[in-house]
Amino acid sequence: MHTMNRRPSTRYPLPLRVLHWGLALLLVLQLTLGFAAEYWTTRKTSDVLLALHFRLGILILGLMLLRLTLRLASSVPPAAEHLSRWRRCLQGSAHSLLYLLVLALPLSGHVIWVWMGADRTLFAGIQVPALFVPPDDETGRALAWYVHVYGAWLLSGLVVLHVVAAWHESLQEHAFVARRMGFGRSGLDQSETK
């Protein structure tokens, strides 16, 4: 009996790639909505934008939980061998912080939203559960606000660094990140054509 000896793919599975790019677009939109509501619009427009911001945040939280579940259940390409150990460590830390922030921001936003007594309806009468009753002491609300606002600025900075690092990587001869995320030919494809 003949078995084919194939090397593992150098690309992430398609569902993870779709979620990556979908979440990337939604995060840019979400950050723009949040900053516009906070700094660039009138109070009336701000209220409308914040309602959209809340709904989009819940969608992002759900998609991020799905992405984490798929990531843990999927076989993914090994880390980049061409990077030094400290760069791999830095890359891993940055990705972990991105994941943490993308989860923490919707959760802190939910806390703020519940504390405000705002409408938690998503669509067609479906409501996001409150999960808690706000106490008289507003320390929790203030803490959630700090996490949400400063986390949004930190996430914005990390997204910019992530894009710059990915762009720089894509210009390199090995273009490791570009191949992993679905651009160009995978390492397996290239080795089979030689």
Side-chain angles (χ1 to χ4, degrees), residues 6 9 12 15 26 33 37 46-47 50 55 60 75 86 88 104 106 130 151 167 172 192:
R6 296 189 64 179
S9 174
Y12 278 98
L26 290 176
L33 280 173
S46 176
D47 289 343
L50 284 174
R55 290 176 180 95
I60 287 170
S75 174
W86 72 268
R88 282 196 302 268
W167 177 259
Q172 304 301 312
E192 289 172 350

Side-chain angles (χ1 to χ4, degrees), residues 21-41:
W21 293 112
L23 280 164
L25 292 173
L26 290 176
L27 283 172
V28 169
L29 177 60
Q30 182 70 327
L31 288 167
T32 303
L33 280 173
F35 288 127
E38 186 71 23
Y39 303 111
W40 307 325
T41 59

Side-chain angles (χ1 to χ4, degrees), residues 50-187:
L50 284 174
L52 290 172
H53 185 72
F54 172 74
R55 290 176 180 95
L56 189 55
I58 298 300
L59 174 63
I60 287 170
L61 178 61
L63 290 174
M64 193 63 187
L65 290 173
L66 175 61
R67 181 180 175 179
L68 274 172
T69 302
L70 289 174
R71 173 68 174 82
L72 294 172
S74 301
S75 174
V76 296
E81 294 176 5
H82 67 277
L83 293 179
S84 63
R85 184 176 176 174
W86 72 268
R87 283 184 65 191
R88 282 196 302 268
C89 183
L90 183 63
Q91 186 181 59
S93 299
H95 279 111
S96 296
L97 186 54
L98 275 169
Y99 273 73
L100 178 65
L101 286 168
V102 173
L103 293 170
L105 288 172
L107 292 173
S108 60
H110 179 266
V111 169
I112 295 166
W113 206 246
V114 169
W115 225 296
M116 289 170 40
D119 180 19
R120 298 184 319 277
T121 305
L122 293 180
F123 57 88
I126 298 173
Q127 283 209 342
V128 178
L131 302 179
F132 72 100
V133 175
D136 292 333
D137 178 16
E138 294 206 1
T139 304
R141 179 181 180 176
L143 180 60
W145 185 87
Y146 282 115
V147 168
H148 202 73
V149 172
Y150 291 111
W153 283 106
L154 180 57
L155 179 61
S156 300
L158 276 173
V159 165
V160 169
L161 288 174
H162 183 69
V163 169
V164 168
W167 177 259
H168 178 265
E169 167 65 29
S170 72
L171 297 177
Q172 304 301 312
E173 183 179 333
H174 42 76
F176 182 77
V177 172
R179 287 196 321 269
R180 285 175 71 159
M181 293 313 299
F183 296 104
R185 299 178 69 116
S186 72

